[in-house]
Amino acid sequence: MTSHWQQRRSGDPANRPGDLRSPWQRDRARVLHSAAFRRLQSKTQIMNVGENDFYRTRLTHSLEAAQIGASLINQLQQVCAPKLTPMLPDLNLMETLCLAHDIGHPPFGHGGEAALHFKMLGAGGFEGNGQTFRIVGKLEAYHPEHGMDLTRRSLLGLLKYPVLMPQLQAPKDLEHPGSLAQWKPAKALFACDADLLDWVLQPLSESDRELFQSVTTLDKAPWQKSIHKALDASLMELADDIAYGVHDLEDAVVTGTLSESQWHAHVDTVINQLPAKLAQLMQELGEQLFAREHHLRKNAIGALVNIFVTTVRLEEVLPEAEEPLIRFNATLPKDEAYLLKSLKDVVFEHVINEPSIQQLRYRSQNMLLDLFTALHTEPLRLLPRNTRERWQKAQQEQDKTAADRILCDYVAGMTDDYAERMYRNLFVV
């Protein structure tokens, strides 16, 4: 792989004396030892932290995604055309992306994301993947200006949406959002990080960059959607989807959130549309999934993951592109892609949309709205010293947007436990 994809924004190519690690091994270590990664242990995946001692957090989800990502690479190395294997990310790079993919998510999952986006409508918005890019590229403490100072290829692989946030219109009343469903975040990077995006995409030709950053216009929020992602990002997203569709499904079954009757009501229709061999396998796995014997359920979970890992393939999605890393993506065949989407739909409908989960999400969203308001109103009293100093510097430069982004960075970096504790300290008598 050409050397420009191994470059770091700091321009520092040197390892420590005697360090024989590859650039991707160094990237993986920086993610693994970062504060943002550690905080995932106390951030919501689907079920709120503290509700049960079985289910997954953002941390365990990311570890499982990394393992699945490694399995996808192993599969592709053995089945794809020899001329394509050199472009595949090695295992360290793949794990780097999967371990880092969720570090930008705020407390309380997508509910917290919607709350912060509403509060930031007048200052560039908020979106979890955009915050991940910001953390690894600017905020973490490995470098004074460049965050973790990861390689260009690692940053490219974290770009699920390689476009900037559209211009947002702040509502007149930022204290009463109504239903936060109407403020769904656009899937994009923040305008304040345009310089970092430009650096990552610098090796692309002008025509490749125009292709890569194509968007499709939507009729309603979030108004636009990017069409393409790089090869490494497609592998990371597939690993993420498999972990969500299969392992979060296991949480739902074990905790009783998803019943066997609900499973059949949703999945039987799906199974009837699959090829006979895959349909038969899904019938058998459905029975094992709800069996009393725990080892049968674990076998079903492993077999479901295996369906998707063993059918992954490389597809030329941008044949006119010069750069191989954006010309190819990892994809699933039509039937397996439909099955994975259906499993994700089961989790969404019978877990995320479960009233008890939505009640917790509503409560958590309002906690974050109140916290942001308090910090925005009294930053000099309530912000920790280092964050306060950064906020004061932005104020002195008369950059209100930057000052609000600093507040948002602080709130987004909180764990669920920390946010709830601060809320109690400020508002609960």
Side-chain angles (χ1 to χ4, degrees):
M1 185 54 62
T2 47
S3 61
H4 51 246
W5 293 115
Q6 298 183 26
Q7 291 173 353
R8 302 180 189 279
R9 200 177 184 201
S10 66
D12 176 21
N15 292 9
R16 291 184 173 88
D19 188 352
L20 300 179
R21 294 176 298 170
S22 72
W24 325 123
Q25 288 173 311
R26 294 179 69 196
D27 282 0
R28 180 183 181 276
R30 291 182 182 194
V31 170
L32 195 60
H33 294 287
S34 67
F37 181 72
R38 288 195 300 276
R39 291 190 185 107
L40 295 177
Q41 66 186 306
S42 187
K43 286 195 176 186
T44 292
Q45 171 63 9
I46 292 181
M47 300 178 182
N48 280 35
V49 172
E51 292 298 311
N52 190 287
D53 63 359
F54 173 85
Y55 62 85
R56 289 154 172 89
T57 63
R58 289 274 177 192
L59 179 65
T60 57
H61 163 77
S62 298
L63 292 171
E64 287 173 334
Q67 186 275 323
I68 293 170
S71 297
L72 292 170
I73 296 300
N74 180 67
Q75 181 74 15
L76 286 171
Q77 285 174 339
Q78 298 183 60
V79 302
C80 71
K83 66 178 182 180
L84 298 180
T85 54
M87 80 173 70
L88 292 173
D90 82 349
L91 295 181
N92 292 288
L93 175 53
M94 191 72 254
E95 289 191 3
T96 297
L97 303 180
C98 292
L99 292 173
H101 82 280
D102 266 354
I103 61 175
H105 277 269
F108 311 123
H110 290 292
E113 182 182 46
L116 284 182
H117 180 60
F118 173 75
K119 284 296 186 180
M120 288 295 290
L121 282 170
F126 180 82
E127 199 274 331
N129 296 284
Q131 189 70 10
T132 293
F133 189 65
R134 182 168 171 78
I135 288 171
V136 299
K138 292 190 174 181
L139 299 183
E140 267 289 342
Y142 286 85
H143 189 277
E145 297 174 346
H146 305 310
M148 295 186 196
D149 197 24
L150 301 181
T151 58
R152 183 183 265 118
R153 181 164 177 177
S154 289
L155 292 173
L156 179 71
L158 288 170
L159 288 176
K160 287 181 69 173
Y161 315 108
V163 296
L164 296 177
M165 191 79 72
Q167 188 67 38
L168 302 171
Q169 185 67 43
K172 294 181 180 179
D173 186 358
L174 271 172
E175 299 306 316
H176 302 93
S179 173
L180 284 173
Q182 65 183 308
W183 306 112
K184 184 178 179 182
K187 301 297 186 182
L189 307 177
F190 310 135
C192 58
D193 298 322
D195 59 325
L196 179 58
L197 177 62
D198 287 339
W199 181 81
V200 173
L201 301 185
Q202 184 180 335
L204 299 183
S205 67
E206 187 176 338
S207 59
D208 272 10
R209 178 163 178 172
E210 185 177 349
L211 282 170
F212 187 55
Q213 294 188 286
S214 300
V215 297
T216 181
T217 304
L218 304 177
D219 293 333
K220 54 184 179 179
W223 309 294
Q224 69 175 33
K225 180 180 180 182
S226 60
I227 301 172
H228 303 295
K229 57 181 63 67
L231 168 64
D232 301 346
S234 72
L235 281 159
M236 175 266 286
E237 186 171 46
L238 180 55
D240 182 25
D241 284 349
I242 295 170
Y244 169 60
V246 178
H247 290 300
D248 289 342
L249 175 68
E250 182 183 12
D251 281 359
V253 172
V254 172
T255 58
T257 310
L258 177 68
S259 69
E260 189 170 4
S261 61
Q262 289 172 324
W263 164 265
H264 285 296
H266 194 107
V267 176
D268 285 355
T269 304
V270 173
I271 291 175
N272 291 336
Q273 299 179 55
L274 298 175
K277 187 175 180 180
L278 183 55
Q280 177 60 35
L281 176 60
M282 285 302 300
Q283 290 281 10
E284 296 170 2
L285 296 181
E287 294 174 7
Q288 293 181 21
L289 198 58
F290 291 93
R292 287 192 173 188
E293 298 88 344
H294 295 331
H295 71 277
L296 292 177
R297 184 189 70 245
K298 294 304 294 185
N299 177 72
I301 293 298
L304 285 170
V305 172
N306 185 68
I307 289 172
F308 306 117
V309 168
T310 57
T311 54
V312 66
R313 61 190 181 181
L314 291 185
E315 181 180 351
E316 199 171 21
V317 293
L318 269 178
E320 60 270 53
E322 303 167 30
E323 172 56 58
L325 288 182
I326 68 169
R327 191 161 72 240
F328 291 89
N329 272 190
T331 63
L332 294 176
K334 177 174 66 73
D335 293 322
E336 284 76 11
Y338 172 62
L339 175 59
L340 180 56
K341 180 184 181 301
S342 299
L343 294 180
K344 290 167 60 182
D345 289 345
V346 171
V347 174
F348 182 82
E349 182 59 36
H350 296 291
V351 182
I352 296 176
N353 267 353
E354 173 68 24
S356 61
I357 299 294
Q358 286 300 314
Q359 289 164 15
L360 287 170
R361 174 176 285 195
Y362 180 82
R363 171 180 175 271
S364 301
Q365 285 176 323
N366 282 284
M367 285 170 52
L368 277 197
L369 291 171
D370 289 343
L371 275 178
F372 192 97
T373 298
L375 293 168
H376 191 270
T377 304
E378 296 279 6
L380 296 179
R381 293 178 64 192
L382 302 179
L383 288 174
R385 191 177 303 277
N386 60 339
T387 306
R388 185 175 66 203
E389 290 172 357
R390 291 172 54 222
W391 182 87
Q392 286 177 304
K393 182 181 178 181
Q395 288 290 100
Q396 290 166 2
E397 296 171 352
Q398 297 185 336
D399 193 340
K400 181 181 180 301
T401 298
D404 285 352
R405 181 62 62 187
I406 289 166
L407 290 180
C408 185
D409 288 339
Y410 175 58
V411 177
M414 294 179 180
T415 63
D416 294 19
D417 292 338
Y418 186 90
E420 187 145 1
R421 187 163 60 249
M422 177 176 277
Y423 181 84
R424 286 200 307 269
N425 289 342
L426 293 178
F427 297 106
V428 178
V429 179

